[in-house]
Amino acid sequence: MLISQISGPDGLSSVAVRDNGEARLVKGAKSVYALALEAVRAGKPLNAVIEERGRGETVDLKAAYREGRVMSPIRHPDPAHLYVTGTGLTHLGSAATRDAMHKTVNAEEKLTDSMKMFRMGVEGGKPADGKPGVQPEWFYKGNGTMIVDPGKPLSSPAFALDAGEEPEVAGIYIIGDDGTPFRIGFALSNEFSDHVTERINYLYLAHSKLRNASIGPEILVGKLPDDLHGTSRILRGGKTLWEKPFLSGEANMSHTIANLEHHHFKYDLFRQPGDVHVHMFGTATLSFADGVKTEAGDVFEIEAGDFGLPLRNALKFDADMATEVRAL
C-alpha cells in the first residue's frame, strides 16, 4: 500500500491511498499524521483503519504532482515536533566514498575513523541473536521546518560550499501516547548535504547535515524490500547530467533496520508522545563522488519502483543574510 497527502483547490489537505492501481482519497482523512494517530489509539493496523473509513473518489496523483499539490507525506501540526535524523556508513558500498573524503596524506598507512566505523557495522550491525548490535554513526538534520515538499526547491544557504543529493530510504514514525514508537512505513528521501564542508574535516559532519531534505511523494506501508534497486539522477536544462543506480534494503546494508531503529529510539528524547520522526538509513551513491558540481536550477530525481512516484526537487541558492544576536 502506498499512502500520500495532497492539497485541494481549497487549500485543505487530503490523504490518498493506492495498492497497484489508481489512487483514491481516504474518506474523511485530512492528514497522514491524524490517520496514523487514530490507528495507534485504536490499536489497529493503519490499513485496517483506512478500510474502515473507506476509499472515496479517485485522484490523479501524477496530475496533482505536476500542479504542485503533492505535499510531504508526513507533517506534524507543530514542525518543532518532527525530528529529521539519519545514519551513515550503513550500506555495503558506502565506506569507499566517505573514506576518500576523509583520508589525509600520511606516510603511514592507517584506517580513517570512517572506515573503522564501517567495519564495526559489517562485523556487528546484524546480530544473529536478536540482541542490539553495534551502534551506527548518527546525525541530526533538523526539525519539520527543514522538510521540503516533493516538487518544491531545496534551498542551499549562501554560506554552503556544496549542494549535493543523497538518495536514501527513510523510516517514518509516530510516537504513541505511552512512548511506543510506531513505524508508519518507508519513503524515498533526498538527504541533501554539503559534502565539501564535510570533506574539510569529519568533525564538520554535523554542520554539513543542517540542510533541507525532501521525502516521498508516497509512503510505502509494509515491509521494506530486502533488495531495493533505484535510480538517482540530476537533470540540467531538461537533460540528464548524471545518473546512477543505488541500492538499499538489508541485503545491501551492514546493519539491520531493527538495529538502526533500536539505536535511535533507545533515547527517551525520541519517545515523546505525538512526535514524528523521519529517520534516514544512508546511501552509497553520490554525484559528488563523481565530481559533479551542482548549479541553481538543477533537478534531483530519485526513483524506485516499490515507492511509486519519483521524488523530484530543483535546487536554489539562498541570498546572503546577516545574522545578528542582540542582547536583552
Side-chain angles (χ1 to χ4, degrees), residues 174-314:
I174 189 169
I175 310 301
D177 295 328
D178 64 352
T180 300
F182 289 87
R183 187 195 314 116
I184 298 171
F186 301 94
L188 292 178
S189 69
N190 187 342
E191 198 269 285
F192 185 61
S193 297
D194 183 343
H195 302 103
V196 172
T197 292
E198 179 187 346
R199 187 174 60 182
I200 293 171
N201 188 304
Y202 76 95
L203 295 177
Y204 280 165
L205 176 72
H207 290 277
S208 74
K209 296 298 185 183
L210 290 173
R211 303 290 187 271
N212 281 166
S214 188
I215 59 173
E218 302 177 80
I219 295 174
L220 174 66
V221 179
K223 188 178 184 298
L224 181 69
D226 192 52
D227 184 18
L228 178 68
H229 292 240
T231 303
S232 178
R233 65 178 61 90
I234 298 175
L235 306 175
R236 181 174 293 171
K239 297 180 180 179
T240 300
L241 172 71
W242 174 90
E243 180 178 279
K244 208 164 192 177
F246 72 91
L247 302 175
S248 195
E250 289 188 358
N252 304 296
M253 297 173 67
S254 53
H255 289 259
T256 63
I257 297 298
N259 191 52
L260 300 180
E261 290 174 334
H262 165 77
H263 285 294
H264 179 70
F265 290 110
K266 67 185 181 183
Y267 295 101
D268 291 343
L269 169 66
F270 298 143
R271 298 195 309 274
Q272 297 302 304
D275 282 359
V276 169
H277 291 258
V278 174
H279 192 57
M280 300 174 181
F281 296 133
T283 189
T285 305
L286 309 173
S287 65
F288 176 78
D290 292 336
V292 174
K293 183 172 178 56
T294 56
E295 298 177 358
D298 286 351
V299 175
F300 302 113
E301 189 173 85
I302 299 168
E303 63 179 347
D306 298 277
F307 288 89
L309 296 174
L311 177 60
R312 194 178 295 118
N313 301 92

